[in-house]
Amino acid sequence: MPHQHATDLCRQLGIEVPLVCGAMYPCSNPELVAAASQAGALGIVQPMSLSYVHGYEFKDGLQYIRSLTTKPIGVNLILETSSRIYQERTQRWAEASVEAGIKCFVTALGNPAWVVKLAHAHGITVFHDVTNATHANKALDAGVDGFICVNNRAGGHAGKLEPQALYDEIAPLGKPVICAGGIGHAEQLKQMLTIGYAGAQLGTRFIATTECSAHDDYKQAILSAEESDIVLTEKLSGVPVAVINTPYIESIGIKAGPIARWLLQNRRGKHLMRTIYTLQSVYKLKKASLGGSGYKDYWQAGKSAGQIRQVKRVEEIVNEFQAAL
Ligand SMILES: Cc1cc2nc3c(=O)[nH]c(=O)nc-3n(C[C@H](O)[C@H](O)[C@H](O)COP(=O)(O)O)c2cc1C
């Protein structure tokens, strides 16, 4: 592998290919996470997905993944602070992850300081999702080991910057940087490594796999989508989420309604709106992912969908990416 930063990342995370199978609510079923790690990449567990969508008590789910692979796995912690119950649950997930011997936390939103403290006491690495230098600087102060740079092409909550511009903002902080967003093909990983990224986190590409338990209609929609079919909707969580544009999405529009917008502008209203949105989206996304085309309300996918033309096995994808380096 000619890229030193990619080699260093692989060593840091104990993986063979500088690829991360990103956390996906609701698509991260345990078999998908395990298959990514087993193939030599890093599979990331999404705790809400594991318990609420796929029906495992968190510890049992981790153990099940451990029975499928002994290679490194990571856990995603969304550090949302609007609900105390969720915060306490996040803490329990973090502690159970430490007990299960995970390799890495991928934190998102909020202040990762408490996760860093816990992780570093147990030799675990913390990568924080960032979309700009302001958030990255705060996470750097909290002691994170690296950044996942979520660009404007990503599935899930997309960023605003192109991959190169985001690299230019975050790389000067001196930590390893992983590119997230828009990568559906092995050649694109090579391009990102040439920019200076140490590796890539992929989401959408791993939905269209035999190991992902998402409904086949959802996978087919990814295969048929072009880049221009991916739109950002605020209807799901109040902040833009990338989805495939279907007649349903067109019929409801992509902007948050006037009352939601007004509530989102002040602090207390924001918490209320976030709670309403979270409850709604947790339910709608589960339904859309597991149900077929009658439920195509929200099929989340990034612009990488434009590069994805075939459902493949996870190992096949990871091998293709490795071979291209
Ligand atoms: C369906 C879906 C759900 C996602 N859910 C999460 C999540 O729960 N937590 C998270 O940190 N990132 C989440 N992401 C972002 C991915 O981990 C990854 O960064 C992103 O998909 C990369 O862009 P790509 O889809 O173009 O490969 C999600 C992405 C998708 C497509």
Side-chain angles (χ1 to χ4, degrees):
M1 202 186 300
H3 298 276
Q4 189 56 43
H5 35 282
T7 312
D8 293 344
L9 180 77
C10 287
R11 197 169 303 128
Q12 183 182 24
L13 296 175
I15 55 180
E16 293 140 54
V17 191
L19 267 190
V20 179
C21 172
M24 290 184 281
Y25 181 90
C27 301
S28 294
N29 53 295
E31 297 80 9
L32 174 62
V33 176
S37 289
Q38 186 59 26
L42 184 71
I44 306 290
V45 176
Q46 213 293 354
M48 277 286 287
S49 190
L50 188 61
S51 49
Y52 181 67
V53 181
H54 303 289
Y56 290 87
E57 204 273 315
F58 184 66
K59 279 187 188 176
D60 297 343
L62 284 188
Q63 236 172 36
Y64 172 48
I65 294 170
R66 276 278 156 258
S67 75
L68 300 175
T69 183
T70 53
K71 294 191 179 178
I73 57 167
V75 170
N76 180 224
L77 297 175
I78 298 177
L79 307 174
E80 171 66 56
T81 53
S82 58
S83 144
R84 182 168 289 278
I85 297 171
Y86 177 77
Q87 260 179 297
E88 287 168 1
R89 211 190 288 177
T90 307
Q91 213 141 359
R92 286 201 297 277
W93 287 332
E95 282 155 13
S97 303
V98 170
E99 273 172 37
I102 67 143
K103 184 75 183 174
C104 172
F105 282 115
V106 173
T107 49
L109 305 175
N111 184 341
W114 69 268
V115 180
V116 170
K117 198 166 163 224
L118 177 73
H120 286 180
H122 296 88
I124 299 169
T125 307
V126 181
F127 274 71
H128 193 66
D129 270 5
V130 294
T131 54
N132 60 48
T134 311
H135 292 142
N137 268 306
K138 285 186 186 153
L140 188 68
D141 289 346
V144 299
D145 303 292
F147 297 105
I148 298 194
C149 299
V150 182
N151 61 49
N152 61 350
R153 299 168 55 76
H157 289 104
K160 291 209 165 96
L161 297 176
E162 297 279 340
Q164 176 76 59
L166 190 51
Y167 177 82
D168 294 342
E169 272 208 36
I170 309 299
L173 303 186
K175 296 286 178 187
V177 284
I178 294 175
C179 173
I183 299 173
H185 192 275
E187 274 307 308
Q188 293 172 298
L189 170 64
K190 247 172 101 174
Q191 287 164 13
M192 292 305 120
L193 297 189
T194 305
I195 287 179
Y197 282 107
Q201 170 164 286
L202 277 57
T204 307
R205 173 62 274 193
F206 285 114
I207 299 173
T209 56
T210 42
E211 290 89 342
C212 180
S213 63
H215 196 281
D216 200 46
D217 289 348
Y218 185 3
K219 296 180 188 177
Q220 291 305 321
I222 290 174
L223 303 189
S224 319
E226 300 297 339
E227 262 196 49
S228 54
D229 294 323
I230 307 303
V231 293
L232 295 172
T233 178
E234 293 175 0
K235 289 264 173 169
L236 208 48
S237 64
V239 284
V241 176
V243 294
I244 301 175
N245 197 10
T246 56
Y248 174 75
I249 296 289
E250 277 189 359
S251 72
I252 60 165
I254 54 174
K255 292 280 173 214
I259 296 172
R261 274 183 173 268
W262 178 74
L263 281 168
L264 283 164
Q265 274 164 14
N266 66 71
R267 199 176 146 75
R268 286 187 63 186
K270 200 170 179 170
H271 280 187
L272 173 68
M273 249 354 266
R274 282 258 175 88
T275 308
I276 294 171
Y277 271 134
T278 305
L279 291 173
Q280 274 182 357
S281 63
V282 158
Y283 174 68
K284 284 182 187 166
L285 288 173
K286 177 180 173 180
K287 205 174 67 154
S289 157
L290 301 180
S293 55
Y295 295 98
K296 60 188 165 193
D297 313 41
Y298 291 105
W299 280 333
Q300 290 190 86
K303 287 194 179 289
S304 51
Q307 302 283 329
I308 303 169
R309 294 290 175 247
Q310 232 186 314
V311 171
K312 292 186 177 178
R313 283 184 308 111
V314 168
E315 188 188 15
E316 219 180 315
I317 295 169
V318 175
N319 287 346
E320 275 172 20
F321 275 74
Q322 186 167 33
L325 296 180

